[in-house]
Amino acid sequence: MKHTPLNLSRLAAMDGGRATRLLQEIREASLAGDRPPMPPRPVIEASWQRMRRLGVSPHRETGPVVMTPEELEHRRRTSALGEVIRGVCDGLGGFVDASLQILVVSDEQGRVLWREGNAKVMRRADGISLEEGASWAEGATGTNAIGTALTAGVPVQVHSAEHFVHTLTRWTCAAAPVHDPRDGRLLGVVDVSGPATSFHPATLALVTAVARLAESELRERHLRAVERLRSVAAPILCRVGGRAAAVDTHGWTAAVTGIAPVDRLPLPKSVRPGRLWLPSLGMCTVEPLPGGWLLTVEEEPPPDAPSKVVLDLSRPRRWSVTVSGAAGSWAQELTPRHAELLYVLAVRRDGRSAAELAADVFGDPTRTVTVRAEMSRVRRHLAGVLAHRPYRFKEEVEVSVLRPDHPTDLLPHSTAPAVTDGRSANEPPRPVWPEEGRVIP
């Protein structure tokens, strides 16, 4: 057993009591700085390391709900998950009730917005503050499926003593993140939680499938909205002289005239009527349309080339690039893959070939087709600052990277060799548990 990597399937094959004891031994040895009988699963070990750096005590209690009913209702109304939550609950409600579990839906900050399921389990969940309005981000509640899935950006199952906080070690939970298909933004997670005796590895696949269904429903709603915008914009564009495009509020194009059709034109977070400079079009006049904007390209010499790029990787799951120049500034949120690629180009200003980028990101220099396709998408938005042959930031552009406070939090989802190399700086001194007066191992 000692030489076999721990995984969910192996845990499920064990007797329940034996699996619980093994996880307890792994947890106690790891937190004491001793050698565990076998290493914890990588996603759990990475989360435990984050908890140590944050100074989260494994002996803390889960915190009470501090959100007012008014704030909870506001978060529900403004969450895009509210559009599809009924379908999510209908898809899992019967299963979680029968299997003595509860369904939980949180926002992107880990705040519980909705829950339902077995009445007895919900009463037990109240005892650990797994209730509407409570925060289940890692920093508030330690390693748990909701918070860890939000941080890692992937579906996560946390069972029994894999929880960092001791009061949660009698629970099991599985959660999958839900992203907005319009802009890739993280919206929250779908989670199934229950007593540790209800553990089953298939629960992770189930919540992942439900999260994908929620994204699919959001995508269908978006396509219908773009179609409605197209029916409004088409006759207007017929009367516009020159180059113009009708886009929705997320930049997805409904119709164009005089310019090459693209799926999406990246827009700044805040758009209002007036003049707006876009890297892909130049200076535009912006006018409102029902459900979007009319962008009319001004036929004048292009503004001065951008002079500064800031790649912000300091915030978990909210990576962005800001381009500044004489015409003003413009910002775009990044997908995980584009964040990896731009990070490599920012630290390797001499440039990278497609094969070198493939090795940097995938560890496989033969995956050049994938790299070229991704870089084509990146350059569509950042043509003013990126060059190719080799891929690089233009020499006249000043590039800076905002990194997280701790190097190991750099793009925590990423397994790209270039990113893992960037996390290799020494760790700061370990925090101390005030109640015990000893250093966290």
Side-chain angles (χ1 to χ4, degrees):
M1 181 192 302
K2 292 183 179 181
H3 302 292
T4 304
L6 183 64
N7 56 52
L8 293 175
S9 298
R10 185 170 180 81
L11 282 175
M14 293 181 186
D15 171 76
R18 182 185 178 196
T20 298
R21 289 191 296 273
L22 173 62
L23 291 176
Q24 288 173 341
E25 291 173 6
I26 292 173
R27 179 179 181 274
E28 291 171 2
S30 298
L31 298 186
D34 299 330
R35 184 183 180 87
M38 65 173 58
R41 293 187 292 132
V43 68
I44 300 300
E45 185 173 27
S47 177
W48 287 356
Q49 291 173 355
R50 288 193 294 272
M51 298 309 95
R52 293 170 183 137
R53 294 196 301 272
L54 290 172
V56 175
S57 169
H59 306 290
R60 73 186 300 174
E61 297 292 329
T62 50
V65 176
V66 295
M67 185 184 297
T68 64
E70 293 76 18
E71 184 181 355
L72 173 61
E73 186 57 34
H74 172 73
R75 288 185 180 235
R76 285 173 169 172
R77 286 196 310 268
T78 56
S79 171
L81 288 176
E83 303 173 21
V84 296
I85 187 59
R86 193 66 263 155
V88 170
C89 291
D90 290 345
L92 272 178
F95 165 78
V96 297
D97 191 6
S99 58
L100 301 180
Q101 299 182 95
I102 61 173
L103 167 68
V104 178
V105 179
S106 85
D107 64 13
E108 75 283 2
Q109 296 178 347
R111 288 284 186 176
V112 176
L113 300 184
W114 296 275
R115 73 168 192 172
E116 66 173 52
N118 184 272
K120 289 184 178 180
V121 178
M122 283 206 287
R123 286 194 292 272
R124 288 185 60 180
D126 291 341
I128 58 170
S129 299
L130 184 54
E131 52 189 316
E132 292 167 345
S135 175
W136 279 72
E138 278 193 332
T141 321
T143 302
N144 71 92
I146 294 174
T148 304
L150 287 172
T151 300
V154 296
V156 173
Q157 191 160 10
V158 180
H159 178 52
S160 185
E162 291 183 319
H163 289 88
F164 189 79
V165 174
H166 178 72
T167 55
L168 304 180
T169 57
R170 295 184 179 181
W171 286 78
T172 187
C173 49
V178 181
H179 293 86
D180 193 328
R182 295 168 293 188
D183 56 11
R185 181 169 54 92
L186 180 63
L187 299 176
V189 301
V190 178
D191 168 86
V192 169
S193 293
T197 52
S198 65
F199 166 74
H200 195 288
T203 306
L204 183 61
L206 180 64
V207 295
T208 301
V210 171
R212 300 296 84 78
L213 285 173
E215 292 174 346
S216 178
E217 174 63 22
L218 288 170
R219 187 177 296 107
E220 288 298 321
R221 289 170 178 259
H222 172 237
L223 291 175
R224 292 195 293 269
V226 171
E227 195 61 38
R228 289 193 296 270
L229 175 59
R230 181 176 294 116
S231 65
V232 172
I236 296 174
L237 288 178
C238 289
R239 299 191 297 270
V240 172
R243 298 182 295 156
V247 301
D248 73 358
T249 54
H250 297 271
W252 290 92
T253 54
V256 300
T257 182
I259 61 177
V262 294
D263 291 335
R264 188 183 181 201
L265 292 170
L267 300 177
K269 287 184 179 180
S270 178
V271 180
R272 58 176 60 92
R275 301 177 78 228
L276 174 68
W277 177 74
L278 296 175
S280 56
L281 294 179
M283 192 64 71
C284 300
T285 300
V286 181
E287 300 175 77
L289 290 174
W293 302 99
L294 174 64
L295 306 176
T296 304
V297 181
E298 298 183 5
E299 302 299 338
E300 61 180 26
D304 293 341
S307 59
K308 185 176 182 180
V309 170
V310 177
L311 182 61
D312 188 351
L313 307 179
S314 62
R315 299 170 297 170
R317 304 297 305 173
R318 296 299 296 272
W319 311 299
S320 65
V321 60
T322 301
V323 181
S324 304
S329 63
W330 172 90
Q332 169 71 20
E333 289 197 1
L334 299 170
T335 66
R337 181 68 71 216
H338 292 176
E340 290 173 335
L341 289 166
L342 290 178
Y343 169 76
V344 173
L345 297 182
V347 298
R348 296 298 301 266
R349 289 301 303 273
D350 53 331
R352 306 296 277 167
S353 67
E356 289 172 328
L357 270 180
D360 290 333
V361 174
F362 300 108
D364 181 358
T366 67
R367 295 186 61 177
T368 55
V369 173
T370 303
V371 164
R372 290 192 179 100
E374 292 291 349
M375 286 304 302
S376 177
R377 298 184 184 98
V378 173
R379 294 187 68 246
R380 188 182 304 159
H381 302 159
L382 298 172
V385 297
L386 285 178
H388 63 112
R389 297 179 184 172
Y391 294 112
R392 66 195 187 281
F393 281 102
K394 293 182 177 178
E395 294 162 351
E396 65 271 19
V397 176
E398 177 189 344
V399 181
S400 58
V401 180
L402 302 182
R403 303 169 186 261
D405 292 336
H406 196 282
T408 57
D409 290 331
L410 176 68
L411 300 177
H413 72 284
S414 178
T415 58
V419 176
T420 56
D421 288 346
R423 301 187 190 125
S424 59
N426 293 328
E427 292 191 11
R430 305 280 184 154
V432 174
W433 293 325
E435 63 268 38
E436 296 190 6
R438 62 187 179 92
V439 176
I440 299 175

